[in-house]
Amino acid sequence: MTDQAASISKLEPAVSQLRCIGCGAVGEDGAKSVRCAQCGDLLEVVYPDWKASRRAGGLDAAGLKGLWKQRRTSYKALDESGVWRFREVLPALHDWNRVITLREGNTPVYELPSCGRAAGVQQLYAKHQGMNPTGSFKDTGMTVAASFARQGGFRWVACASTGNTSASMAAYAARAGMRSLVLIPQGQITWGKLSQALDYGAVTCQLKTDFDGCMRVLDEVVQRMPVYLLNSVNPYRLEGQKTAAVELLERFDWQSPDHVIVPGGNLGNSSALGKAFLEMKELGLISRLPKLSVIQAEGANALVRTMRETGGKELVSVQAETMATAIRIGSPASWKKAVRVLEATGGAVEQVSEVEIALAKAEIGADGIGCEPASAVTLAGLKKLVTQGFVKKNESVVLILTGNLLKDPDFTLKFHRGDLFAGTPHEEEAESLLTHRQRAPMVLDASANAVVKVLEHAERTDPAG
Ligand code: F0G
């Protein structure tokens, strides 16, 4: 037996079940369908023993904290993964040696001093999930769901995507020796993301529809063909994505921040993070929940409208339109789970304009961090929540940055060249709010004189940079 196998065999697996969020029907863990066989609603992974025992994997809160910390010094694949390091709170695989990992997770938490000043809060941090292997938070969920797909014997996995899920799925499928099928809305995902799917060998179909249309087509394809669906309706994806919240709490020495702010698209991620906070409280690792707030683009604001118009009872779908292509989603699949998390943690839901997103993205960049546009809705939303008094000046706030800056270089280039809003109704507003942040690249003669002149001009006109 290898060292890894020996240490793994000592592990007491979490006893989990799949439960329907609608009718409550319970099935065995490891099921192959991602929807309830009785009513068609979404499933979630539950751990029935935890409530009574307040233990996971046989350990109490102190035991879990100690074990997870200790694993940070290990070079075993399972421990090096920032997801599987927390395997006591994940569904157990039959064979832990068959996990598919790219050493995801372990993402940094950065202070954002100048963004904090812009938003009017004293303690502002970013947990940067764009620092994952394929450049987005999707990897933390994909390692779990792809491992379950392989365990289930699937040859094909598939997703509909605004780009990041497809990049991540294609990579993990390739590592597992599985084939992958990607459905993306034609012309609506960034080149960076599309090129990743191609590089990792996915069969990539650009459909003449939007994300919601791709999702509908895929739902039918998975009924007809033996492919495993790896969108965030897959409950195992959310289990992996939970670990970002666990990692965050560990980073804060198990003292919850006051607020966590996350972008909302299909609403899998907000559901996953909220589930983690609730579970960590149930297991006694934290004593207080952070408020989890969800921010959407004004043009893709289904959750905002759902909360405002129906109090979270009925989904209000929208025809989505936003330059933050990752969250251009009109009919979010996990809306019920997200509503539950908002209610349980006391979080808010807010929407932000295209110009506000662009400004926030430049502000995050100016703190030396960078992210893709969808991630920047968090800072834009925070500013609104501070203005409304929902977030207080002295409270601690963590923004979840979901994607890497290099996912969408086109947006950044257009922003700095001043082209982003050209010919749109936002042109004037953009000019007054964004110009001071624009740093267009210059073309110069190849002479030191020319460069020195630019340097002197920059120092004179813009000493703060
Ligand atoms: N941020 C980024 C960078 C994303 O790619 C997504 C979703 C979200 C936020 C929203 O997360 O859907 O869990 O609410 N991207 C999906 C995709 C839909 O296909 O890549 P969510």
PDB file of all heavy atoms in Angstrom, residues 272-298:
ATOM      1  N   ALA A 272     -23.662  27.510  -2.805  1.00  0.00           N
ATOM      2  CA  ALA A 272     -22.602  26.655  -2.241  1.00  0.00           C
ATOM      3  C   ALA A 272     -21.931  27.326  -1.045  1.00  0.00           C
ATOM      4  O   ALA A 272     -21.725  26.702   0.011  1.00  0.00           O
ATOM      5  CB  ALA A 272     -21.566  26.343  -3.315  1.00  0.00           C
ATOM      6  N   LEU A 273     -21.602  28.605  -1.191  1.00  0.00           N
ATOM      7  CA  LEU A 273     -20.908  29.304  -0.102  1.00  0.00           C
ATOM      8  C   LEU A 273     -21.816  29.408   1.119  1.00  0.00           C
ATOM      9  O   LEU A 273     -21.395  29.200   2.262  1.00  0.00           O
ATOM     10  CB  LEU A 273     -20.450  30.687  -0.563  1.00  0.00           C
ATOM     11  CG  LEU A 273     -19.477  30.697  -1.760  1.00  0.00           C
ATOM     12  CD1 LEU A 273     -19.175  32.120  -2.202  1.00  0.00           C
ATOM     13  CD2 LEU A 273     -18.175  29.976  -1.433  1.00  0.00           C
ATOM     14  N   GLY A 274     -23.081  29.712   0.869  1.00  0.00           N
ATOM     15  CA  GLY A 274     -24.037  29.811   1.979  1.00  0.00           C
ATOM     16  C   GLY A 274     -24.193  28.477   2.686  1.00  0.00           C
ATOM     17  O   GLY A 274     -24.255  28.412   3.917  1.00  0.00           O
ATOM     18  N   LYS A 275     -24.246  27.400   1.908  1.00  0.00           N
ATOM     19  CA  LYS A 275     -24.371  26.058   2.498  1.00  0.00           C
ATOM     20  C   LYS A 275     -23.180  25.780   3.415  1.00  0.00           C
ATOM     21  O   LYS A 275     -23.328  25.253   4.523  1.00  0.00           O
ATOM     22  CB  LYS A 275     -24.428  25.025   1.367  1.00  0.00           C
ATOM     23  CG  LYS A 275     -24.703  23.589   1.785  1.00  0.00           C
ATOM     24  CD  LYS A 275     -24.906  22.706   0.537  1.00  0.00           C
ATOM     25  CE  LYS A 275     -25.461  21.319   0.865  1.00  0.00           C
ATOM     26  NZ  LYS A 275     -24.494  20.387   1.396  1.00  0.00           N
ATOM     27  N   ALA A 276     -22.009  26.188   2.967  1.00  0.00           N
ATOM     28  CA  ALA A 276     -20.811  25.968   3.791  1.00  0.00           C
ATOM     29  C   ALA A 276     -20.900  26.730   5.105  1.00  0.00           C
ATOM     30  O   ALA A 276     -20.589  26.180   6.177  1.00  0.00           O
ATOM     31  CB  ALA A 276     -19.565  26.411   3.023  1.00  0.00           C
ATOM     32  N   PHE A 277     -21.322  27.984   5.050  1.00  0.00           N
ATOM     33  CA  PHE A 277     -21.403  28.759   6.297  1.00  0.00           C
ATOM     34  C   PHE A 277     -22.377  28.101   7.268  1.00  0.00           C
ATOM     35  O   PHE A 277     -22.100  27.978   8.468  1.00  0.00           O
ATOM     36  CB  PHE A 277     -21.824  30.207   6.005  1.00  0.00           C
ATOM     37  CG  PHE A 277     -20.769  30.995   5.262  1.00  0.00           C
ATOM     38  CD1 PHE A 277     -21.087  31.761   4.148  1.00  0.00           C
ATOM     39  CD2 PHE A 277     -19.444  30.973   5.677  1.00  0.00           C
ATOM     40  CE1 PHE A 277     -20.112  32.474   3.460  1.00  0.00           C
ATOM     41  CE2 PHE A 277     -18.446  31.680   5.004  1.00  0.00           C
ATOM     42  CZ  PHE A 277     -18.798  32.434   3.892  1.00  0.00           C
ATOM     43  N   LEU A 278     -23.516  27.660   6.741  1.00  0.00           N
ATOM     44  CA  LEU A 278     -24.513  27.018   7.610  1.00  0.00           C
ATOM     45  C   LEU A 278     -23.959  25.719   8.199  1.00  0.00           C
ATOM     46  O   LEU A 278     -24.146  25.433   9.390  1.00  0.00           O
ATOM     47  CB  LEU A 278     -25.802  26.752   6.822  1.00  0.00           C
ATOM     48  CG  LEU A 278     -26.566  28.030   6.418  1.00  0.00           C
ATOM     49  CD1 LEU A 278     -27.597  27.739   5.332  1.00  0.00           C
ATOM     50  CD2 LEU A 278     -27.251  28.636   7.640  1.00  0.00           C
ATOM     51  N   GLU A 279     -23.267  24.951   7.370  1.00  0.00           N
ATOM     52  CA  GLU A 279     -22.714  23.681   7.873  1.00  0.00           C
ATOM     53  C   GLU A 279     -21.600  23.905   8.896  1.00  0.00           C
ATOM     54  O   GLU A 279     -21.491  23.169   9.885  1.00  0.00           O
ATOM     55  CB  GLU A 279     -22.199  22.845   6.694  1.00  0.00           C
ATOM     56  CG  GLU A 279     -23.332  22.280   5.838  1.00  0.00           C
ATOM     57  CD  GLU A 279     -22.864  21.476   4.630  1.00  0.00           C
ATOM     58  OE1 GLU A 279     -21.642  21.414   4.378  1.00  0.00           O
ATOM     59  OE2 GLU A 279     -23.720  20.909   3.931  1.00  0.00           O
ATOM     60  N   MET A 280     -20.780  24.921   8.666  1.00  0.00           N
ATOM     61  CA  MET A 280     -19.693  25.192   9.625  1.00  0.00           C
ATOM     62  C   MET A 280     -20.285  25.615  10.972  1.00  0.00           C
ATOM     63  O   MET A 280     -19.751  25.296  12.023  1.00  0.00           O
ATOM     64  CB  MET A 280     -18.753  26.283   9.084  1.00  0.00           C
ATOM     65  CG  MET A 280     -17.918  25.865   7.894  1.00  0.00           C
ATOM     66  SD  MET A 280     -16.930  24.371   8.166  1.00  0.00           S
ATOM     67  CE  MET A 280     -17.853  23.182   7.248  1.00  0.00           C
ATOM     68  N   LYS A 281     -21.411  26.294  10.918  1.00  0.00           N
ATOM     69  CA  LYS A 281     -22.061  26.687  12.174  1.00  0.00           C
ATOM     70  C   LYS A 281     -22.666  25.446  12.836  1.00  0.00           C
ATOM     71  O   LYS A 281     -22.524  25.239  14.054  1.00  0.00           O
ATOM     72  CB  LYS A 281     -23.133  27.748  11.911  1.00  0.00           C
ATOM     73  CG  LYS A 281     -23.812  28.233  13.162  1.00  0.00           C
ATOM     74  CD  LYS A 281     -24.172  29.701  13.078  1.00  0.00           C
ATOM     75  CE  LYS A 281     -24.731  30.215  14.388  1.00  0.00           C
ATOM     76  NZ  LYS A 281     -26.087  29.721  14.666  1.00  0.00           N
ATOM     77  N   GLU A 282     -23.289  24.613  12.027  1.00  0.00           N
ATOM     78  CA  GLU A 282     -23.896  23.383  12.561  1.00  0.00           C
ATOM     79  C   GLU A 282     -22.852  22.503  13.244  1.00  0.00           C
ATOM     80  O   GLU A 282     -23.099  21.901  14.291  1.00  0.00           O
ATOM     81  CB  GLU A 282     -24.542  22.618  11.399  1.00  0.00           C
ATOM     82  CG  GLU A 282     -25.356  21.425  11.817  1.00  0.00           C
ATOM     83  CD  GLU A 282     -26.177  20.874  10.647  1.00  0.00           C
ATOM     84  OE1 GLU A 282     -25.573  20.365   9.690  1.00  0.00           O
ATOM     85  OE2 GLU A 282     -27.405  20.965  10.712  1.00  0.00           O
ATOM     86  N   LEU A 283     -21.648  22.458  12.663  1.00  0.00           N
ATOM     87  CA  LEU A 283     -20.583  21.617  13.228  1.00  0.00           C
ATOM     88  C   LEU A 283     -19.810  22.318  14.352  1.00  0.00           C
ATOM     89  O   LEU A 283     -18.878  21.755  14.916  1.00  0.00           O
ATOM     90  CB  LEU A 283     -19.604  21.205  12.122  1.00  0.00           C
ATOM     91  CG  LEU A 283     -20.139  20.168  11.124  1.00  0.00           C
ATOM     92  CD1 LEU A 283     -19.208  20.043   9.911  1.00  0.00           C
ATOM     93  CD2 LEU A 283     -20.304  18.803  11.798  1.00  0.00           C
ATOM     94  N   GLY A 284     -20.177  23.577  14.604  1.00  0.00           N
ATOM     95  CA  GLY A 284     -19.544  24.296  15.722  1.00  0.00           C
ATOM     96  C   GLY A 284     -18.178  24.878  15.396  1.00  0.00           C
ATOM     97  O   GLY A 284     -17.422  25.239  16.289  1.00  0.00           O
ATOM     98  N   LEU A 285     -17.845  25.014  14.107  1.00  0.00           N
ATOM     99  CA  LEU A 285     -16.547  25.619  13.759  1.00  0.00           C
ATOM    100  C   LEU A 285     -16.594  27.137  13.819  1.00  0.00           C
ATOM    101  O   LEU A 285     -15.575  27.793  13.989  1.00  0.00           O
ATOM    102  CB  LEU A 285     -16.083  25.154  12.371  1.00  0.00           C
ATOM    103  CG  LEU A 285     -15.522  23.735  12.393  1.00  0.00           C
ATOM    104  CD1 LEU A 285     -16.512  22.739  11.855  1.00  0.00           C
ATOM    105  CD2 LEU A 285     -14.217  23.633  11.640  1.00  0.00           C
ATOM    106  N   ILE A 286     -17.799  27.692  13.638  1.00  0.00           N
ATOM    107  CA  ILE A 286     -17.993  29.137  13.826  1.00  0.00           C
ATOM    108  C   ILE A 286     -19.225  29.333  14.712  1.00  0.00           C
ATOM    109  O   ILE A 286     -20.086  28.460  14.783  1.00  0.00           O
ATOM    110  CB  ILE A 286     -18.208  29.903  12.486  1.00  0.00           C
ATOM    111  CG1 ILE A 286     -19.329  29.254  11.645  1.00  0.00           C
ATOM    112  CG2 ILE A 286     -16.930  30.003  11.688  1.00  0.00           C
ATOM    113  CD1 ILE A 286     -19.737  30.053  10.421  1.00  0.00           C
ATOM    114  N   SER A 287     -19.274  30.507  15.352  1.00  0.00           N
ATOM    115  CA  SER A 287     -20.426  30.729  16.224  1.00  0.00           C
ATOM    116  C   SER A 287     -21.421  31.689  15.585  1.00  0.00           C
ATOM    117  O   SER A 287     -22.550  31.819  16.041  1.00  0.00           O
ATOM    118  CB  SER A 287     -19.956  31.286  17.566  1.00  0.00           C
ATOM    119  OG  SER A 287     -19.181  32.429  17.334  1.00  0.00           O
ATOM    120  N   ARG A 288     -21.001  32.359  14.523  1.00  0.00           N
ATOM    121  CA  ARG A 288     -21.842  33.409  13.936  1.00  0.00           C
ATOM    122  C   ARG A 288     -21.741  33.320  12.411  1.00  0.00           C
ATOM    123  O   ARG A 288     -20.653  33.086  11.870  1.00  0.00           O
ATOM    124  CB  ARG A 288     -21.254  34.740  14.411  1.00  0.00           C
ATOM    125  CG  ARG A 288     -21.989  35.979  14.107  1.00  0.00           C
ATOM    126  CD  ARG A 288     -21.275  37.177  14.782  1.00  0.00           C
ATOM    127  NE  ARG A 288     -19.923  37.407  14.277  1.00  0.00           N
ATOM    128  CZ  ARG A 288     -19.641  38.202  13.235  1.00  0.00           C
ATOM    129  NH1 ARG A 288     -20.579  38.841  12.600  1.00  0.00           N
ATOM    130  NH2 ARG A 288     -18.389  38.370  12.840  1.00  0.00           N
ATOM    131  N   LEU A 289     -22.872  33.518  11.730  1.00  0.00           N
ATOM    132  CA  LEU A 289     -22.857  33.468  10.264  1.00  0.00           C
ATOM    133  C   LEU A 289     -22.489  34.833   9.684  1.00  0.00           C
ATOM    134  O   LEU A 289     -22.976  35.850  10.183  1.00  0.00           O
ATOM    135  CB  LEU A 289     -24.259  33.130   9.739  1.00  0.00           C
ATOM    136  CG  LEU A 289     -24.800  31.732   9.992  1.00  0.00           C
ATOM    137  CD1 LEU A 289     -26.275  31.675   9.576  1.00  0.00           C
ATOM    138  CD2 LEU A 289     -23.994  30.697   9.219  1.00  0.00           C
ATOM    139  N   PRO A 290     -21.686  34.851   8.611  1.00  0.00           N
ATOM    140  CA  PRO A 290     -21.562  36.124   7.881  1.00  0.00           C
ATOM    141  C   PRO A 290     -22.831  36.355   7.084  1.00  0.00           C
ATOM    142  O   PRO A 290     -23.535  35.392   6.759  1.00  0.00           O
ATOM    143  CB  PRO A 290     -20.377  35.882   6.927  1.00  0.00           C
ATOM    144  CG  PRO A 290     -20.114  34.428   6.920  1.00  0.00           C
ATOM    145  CD  PRO A 290     -20.924  33.757   7.988  1.00  0.00           C
ATOM    146  N   LYS A 291     -23.131  37.595   6.784  1.00  0.00           N
ATOM    147  CA  LYS A 291     -24.265  37.874   5.880  1.00  0.00           C
ATOM    148  C   LYS A 291     -23.762  37.678   4.458  1.00  0.00           C
ATOM    149  O   LYS A 291     -22.770  38.299   4.064  1.00  0.00           O
ATOM    150  CB  LYS A 291     -24.750  39.315   6.059  1.00  0.00           C
ATOM    151  CG  LYS A 291     -25.421  39.579   7.382  1.00  0.00           C
ATOM    152  CD  LYS A 291     -26.110  40.946   7.338  1.00  0.00           C
ATOM    153  CE  LYS A 291     -26.966  41.187   8.552  1.00  0.00           C
ATOM    154  NZ  LYS A 291     -26.212  41.494   9.771  1.00  0.00           N
ATOM    155  N   LEU A 292     -24.435  36.824   3.704  1.00  0.00           N
ATOM    156  CA  LEU A 292     -23.999  36.574   2.335  1.00  0.00           C
ATOM    157  C   LEU A 292     -24.906  37.327   1.356  1.00  0.00           C
ATOM    158  O   LEU A 292     -26.102  37.053   1.293  1.00  0.00           O
ATOM    159  CB  LEU A 292     -24.023  35.075   2.034  1.00  0.00           C
ATOM    160  CG  LEU A 292     -23.318  34.737   0.730  1.00  0.00           C
ATOM    161  CD1 LEU A 292     -22.344  33.582   0.930  1.00  0.00           C
ATOM    162  CD2 LEU A 292     -24.284  34.390  -0.366  1.00  0.00           C
ATOM    163  N   SER A 293     -24.325  38.293   0.647  1.00  0.00           N
ATOM    164  CA  SER A 293     -25.113  39.109  -0.286  1.00  0.00           C
ATOM    165  C   SER A 293     -24.753  38.771  -1.724  1.00  0.00           C
ATOM    166  O   SER A 293     -23.610  38.441  -2.025  1.00  0.00           O
ATOM    167  CB  SER A 293     -24.860  40.595  -0.039  1.00  0.00           C
ATOM    168  OG  SER A 293     -25.352  40.949   1.241  1.00  0.00           O
ATOM    169  N   VAL A 294     -25.749  38.854  -2.592  1.00  0.00           N
ATOM    170  CA  VAL A 294     -25.570  38.472  -3.999  1.00  0.00           C
ATOM    171  C   VAL A 294     -25.784  39.705  -4.882  1.00  0.00           C
ATOM    172  O   VAL A 294     -26.779  40.414  -4.730  1.00  0.00           O
ATOM    173  CB  VAL A 294     -26.596  37.383  -4.400  1.00  0.00           C
ATOM    174  CG1 VAL A 294     -26.387  36.951  -5.841  1.00  0.00           C
ATOM    175  CG2 VAL A 294     -26.500  36.177  -3.467  1.00  0.00           C
ATOM    176  N   ILE A 295     -24.843  39.920  -5.792  1.00  0.00           N
ATOM    177  CA  ILE A 295     -24.940  41.078  -6.689  1.00  0.00           C
ATOM    178  C   ILE A 295     -25.071  40.608  -8.134  1.00  0.00           C
ATOM    179  O   ILE A 295     -24.349  39.708  -8.568  1.00  0.00           O
ATOM    180  CB  ILE A 295     -23.672  41.980  -6.573  1.00  0.00           C
ATOM    181  CG1 ILE A 295     -23.290  42.246  -5.111  1.00  0.00           C
ATOM    182  CG2 ILE A 295     -23.895  43.292  -7.340  1.00  0.00           C
ATOM    183  CD1 ILE A 295     -24.288  43.007  -4.285  1.00  0.00           C
ATOM    184  N   GLN A 296     -25.994  41.229  -8.857  1.00  0.00           N
ATOM    185  CA  GLN A 296     -26.180  40.894 -10.270  1.00  0.00           C
ATOM    186  C   GLN A 296     -26.020  42.145 -11.140  1.00  0.00           C
ATOM    187  O   GLN A 296     -26.111  43.274 -10.652  1.00  0.00           O
ATOM    188  CB  GLN A 296     -27.584  40.310 -10.481  1.00  0.00           C
ATOM    189  CG  GLN A 296     -27.790  38.998  -9.753  1.00  0.00           C
ATOM    190  CD  GLN A 296     -29.033  38.274 -10.212  1.00  0.00           C
ATOM    191  OE1 GLN A 296     -30.132  38.787 -10.071  1.00  0.00           O
ATOM    192  NE2 GLN A 296     -28.857  37.072 -10.753  1.00  0.00           N
ATOM    193  N   ALA A 297     -25.792  41.906 -12.427  1.00  0.00           N
ATOM    194  CA  ALA A 297     -25.806  43.011 -13.389  1.00  0.00           C
ATOM    195  C   ALA A 297     -27.267  43.429 -13.602  1.00  0.00           C
ATOM    196  O   ALA A 297     -28.154  42.572 -13.615  1.00  0.00           O
ATOM    197  CB  ALA A 297     -25.185  42.558 -14.705  1.00  0.00           C
ATOM    198  N   GLU A 298     -27.488  44.737 -13.772  1.00  0.00           N
ATOM    199  CA  GLU A 298     -28.871  45.225 -14.000  1.00  0.00           C
ATOM    200  C   GLU A 298     -29.558  44.496 -15.132  1.00  0.00           C
ATOM    201  O   GLU A 298     -30.749  44.214 -15.080  1.00  0.00           O
ATOM    202  CB  GLU A 298     -28.828  46.727 -14.342  1.00  0.00           C
ATOM    203  CG  GLU A 298     -28.929  47.621 -13.150  1.00  0.00           C
ATOM    204  CD  GLU A 298     -28.753  49.101 -13.522  1.00  0.00           C
ATOM    205  OE1 GLU A 298     -28.768  49.449 -14.729  1.00  0.00           O
ATOM    206  OE2 GLU A 298     -28.569  49.886 -12.588  1.00  0.00           O
TER     207      GLU A 298
END
